[in-house]
Every structure is written in structure tokens, then in C-alpha cells.
């Protein structure tokens, strides 16, 4: 799985990068199914945290969370990613 983290309009501190990498380990069960996991964090009035998931069978999903607190936004986004990956994994097992 290729993990990429980009920050727009600000420099993302190293501890937040490490937090994202640590939280991504929550979806280790699907590491062989995900080709790319791209995070983009944009700061304007609040933080817009986006994730773009590319699965090996060609499906891709775009998930966005807006939050004034970066840490809480990351937590919410990881929970949404976990739910999406679990749903996709279930779909694949059905076929």
C-alpha cells in the first residue's frame, strides 16, 4: 500500500504525519487490497481532510471530513475509511 500525505496552505507537523501513519495501521487487514491511500489536508477556516482510496480491482473512493480540530478530523476520517474498506472487502467476498 502506497501512503501519501500532502498539506495545502500550511506545513503539517511531523507528529500529525506519525498520527496518520499510526491510525492507518487500523486498516492493516486490507493492506493487500489497497494500492494507494492519498491524504490531502487543506487549511482555510477549518481543516478539510480528504482521502483518496484506490483498490487493486480498479475501484476508487473519495472521502472528505471538515473539522476545526485537526486531530479529531483525522480520527473521523480514519473511522470512515475503515468502514468503507470493510464494506468493499465484504462486496469482494460475496463475488
Amino acid at each position: 500500500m502506497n501512503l501519501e500525505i500532502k498539506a495545502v496552505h500550511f506545513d503539517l507537523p511531523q507528529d500529525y504525519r506519525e498520527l496518520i501513519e499510526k491510525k492507518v495501521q487500523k486498516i492493516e487487514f486490507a493492506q493487500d487490497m489497497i494500492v494507494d491511500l492519498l491524504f490531502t489536508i487543506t487549511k482555510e477556516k477549518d481543516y478539510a481532510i480528504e482521502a483518496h482510496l484506490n483498490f487493486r480491482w480498479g475501484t476508487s473512493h473519495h472521502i472528505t471530513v471538515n473539522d476545526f480540530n485537526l486531530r479529531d478530523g483525522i480520527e473521523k476520517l480514519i473511522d470512515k475509511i475503515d468502514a468503507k474498506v470493510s464494506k468493499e472487502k465484504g462486496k469482494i467476498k460475496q463475488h
Side-chain angles (χ1 to χ4, degrees):
M1 175 171 61
N2 179 27
L3 177 64
E4 184 179 320
I5 303 168
K6 291 191 308 186
V8 179
H9 303 302
F10 75 109
D11 291 326
L12 186 66
Q14 186 62 31
D15 58 334
Y16 283 107
R17 288 184 187 276
E18 292 170 1
L19 174 69
I20 292 171
E21 290 170 0
K22 179 182 165 199
K23 294 292 182 179
V24 165
Q25 291 176 357
K26 184 177 179 180
I27 56 172
E28 284 290 314
F29 67 91
Q31 186 173 8
D32 61 329
M33 299 186 319
I34 300 172
V35 176
D36 292 320
L37 180 52
L38 312 170
F39 284 92
T40 304
I41 304 170
T42 306
K43 182 178 181 182
E44 292 181 9
K45 291 180 182 176
D46 60 352
Y47 291 98
I49 309 161
E50 303 173 352
H52 196 80
L53 285 156
N54 293 316
F55 290 96
R56 66 178 176 165
W57 49 87
T59 305
S60 65
H61 293 282
H62 189 80
I63 304 167
T64 304
V65 171
N66 290 333
D67 203 318
F68 287 102
N69 186 333
L70 183 56
R71 188 173 300 272
D72 291 344
I74 291 170
E75 297 279 342
K76 291 175 189 175
L77 184 68
I78 294 295
D79 289 343
K80 284 185 173 186
I81 291 171
D82 186 33
K84 182 60 75 175
V85 168
S86 296
K87 187 175 179 180
E88 281 293 320
K89 188 173 182 180
K91 285 181 183 178
I92 293 303
K93 285 191 174 185
Q94 288 177 358
H95 296 287

